[in-house]
Amino acid sequence: MIVRCTHITSPATGEVVTDHPSIRVGAEYPVLEVLTTANRVLLRIPELLDTTEYRDSPGLWDAAMFTVVSSRMPSCWVAALEDGRLTLAPREWQRAGFWDDYFDDVPAAVDEYARLRAAILADV
């Protein structure tokens, strides 16, 4: 799935802003994961901070900020329903604590993310 950013809603304030260092209006992004609750839909998209010093920092953004450019879903995505939340993502990313491990630089999680991110990008 590929989306195009139509406007930016600040994750901190919820207000529409003109710019943000991690995302640009008009840019297209591959969707790595979709998370839904009863009143919200979030998309996890890669945010490349600085490829010379940092690894990919995938962020969660309000789906209302985007329009769908390609609705092709990656073949590695599976649906999971837990605690009223529906997630579409690789099964490995749906385990409790995966994202904490990734952002804490646990090598197994970092490697798993890189492998599955590549699979998603090759499949969209």
Side-chain angles (χ1 to χ4, degrees):
M1 175 181 286
I2 299 174
V3 295
R4 180 179 302 117
C5 182
T6 60
H7 65 280
I8 302 169
T9 303
S10 169
T13 65
E15 296 181 12
V16 175
V17 296
T18 57
D19 64 348
H20 190 280
S22 298
I23 198 163
R24 289 177 306 148
V25 171
E28 294 182 3
Y29 299 93
V31 177
L32 303 176
E33 180 178 32
V34 178
L35 296 104
T36 65
T37 63
N39 56 3
R40 194 156 189 208
V41 177
L42 298 172
L43 305 178
R44 188 175 304 274
I45 61 172
E47 300 170 31
L48 297 177
L49 299 176
D50 179 346
T51 56
T52 61
E53 293 185 36
Y54 301 98
R55 65 184 160 80
D56 185 5
S57 180
L60 288 172
W61 295 91
D62 189 330
M65 293 173 34
F66 303 93
T67 185
V68 176
V69 173
S70 169
S71 60
R72 180 179 167 91
M73 290 182 34
S75 59
C76 65
W77 278 6
V78 297
L81 182 61
E82 185 175 327
D83 298 329
R85 184 178 70 189
L86 176 67
T87 305
L88 299 173
R91 184 173 312 284
E92 295 86 343
W93 294 359
Q94 294 174 352
R95 74 163 172 81
F98 173 81
W99 290 110
D100 291 331
D101 288 350
Y102 176 76
F103 288 111
D104 287 342
D105 290 320
V106 173
V110 172
D111 292 346
E112 197 69 31
Y113 171 78
R115 182 180 70 80
L116 290 164
R117 178 185 184 274
I120 290 169
L121 295 180
D123 208 11
V124 292

